[in-house]
Amino acid sequence: MQEAEIKKYIYKIIMDKCTADEEARQDALGEFIAMTMPNIDEGAVRNIKSMIPPITDLYDKWAGMFVDRLMETVPRDQIEELCSGTPDNDSALVLVYIMFMESERMEKQVAEDISAFAPTQNDEAGNIASAYIRSKLTLIAEEQKKKDSIIQ
């Protein structure tokens, strides 16, 4: 497998996990808003949801950073094994991504990126979006850990 193919494969696995389903994103945003702002009515929830755009640009940036770091630090034969297309190896890639995102370096990077993103939104939408991003990463981690415990 060529390096470009490997990078494209890993990137696709991560982006699919982060951006796969807009309807699910809208549902999750609604649930998140209802949990964090319990006194808000449904109309306001719909308005807030519509103000928070998909953050594909941030996911794209972080997935690219992950692919680059993985290629720098993991032996090529192990990366090729992770890119074999099996559900177990795809899950392993997602778990490694989650660990990467939970690293001290990436926590700082995410905070910087969210701070840069928030001013492009109105204050309320920016704050909700940043909290949602953090909760989304946590949910992905929890889902993946559940899958892995079932597989084992």
Side-chain angles (χ1 to χ4, degrees):
M1 196 176 229
Q2 297 294 321
E3 185 168 325
E5 291 175 277
I6 290 171
K7 287 181 173 186
K8 185 176 177 181
Y9 182 84
I10 297 168
Y11 175 85
K12 182 180 179 337
I13 294 294
I14 300 308
M15 289 300 288
D16 284 353
K17 191 67 174 176
C18 292
T19 63
D21 187 346
E22 179 59 22
E23 185 176 330
R25 183 185 87 86
Q26 288 291 320
D27 290 344
L29 269 172
E31 290 174 21
F32 181 78
I33 292 166
M35 283 177 37
T36 58
M37 304 166 82
N39 298 326
I40 197 166
D41 67 48
E42 282 187 42
V45 170
R46 275 194 303 278
N47 287 338
I48 293 170
K49 283 178 10 181
S50 70
M51 291 186 295
I52 301 173
I55 54 164
T56 308
D57 290 347
L58 293 180
Y59 289 135
D60 172 71
K61 178 180 181 178
W62 300 330
M65 292 173 72
F66 168 69
V67 170
D68 290 344
R69 187 70 179 142
L70 191 70
M71 298 299 289
E72 291 170 2
T73 57
V74 176
R76 177 68 179 254
D77 60 327
Q78 290 177 8
I79 292 173
E80 287 181 5
E81 178 64 29
L82 286 171
C83 296
S84 66
T86 67
D88 287 350
N89 285 333
D90 289 352
S91 290
L93 280 169
V94 173
L95 280 176
V96 174
Y97 175 72
I98 291 164
M99 290 187 292
F100 170 78
M101 291 301 292
E102 291 176 342
S103 70
E104 186 177 335
R105 172 180 170 232
M106 283 309 294
E107 283 193 10
K108 288 178 186 172
Q109 183 67 52
V110 168
E112 286 175 21
D113 291 343
I114 290 171
S115 292
F117 170 80
T120 66
Q121 311 302 306
N122 70 38
D123 287 344
E124 187 173 26
N127 290 336
I128 292 170
S130 65
Y132 174 73
I133 293 166
R134 289 184 181 97
S135 71
K136 169 94 171 161
L137 291 171
T138 301
L139 287 173
I140 290 171
E142 289 170 2
E143 288 172 11
Q144 202 61 46
K145 288 174 185 173
K146 285 178 189 173
K147 278 185 185 177
D148 289 345
S149 67
I150 292 170
I151 291 171
Q152 294 173 357

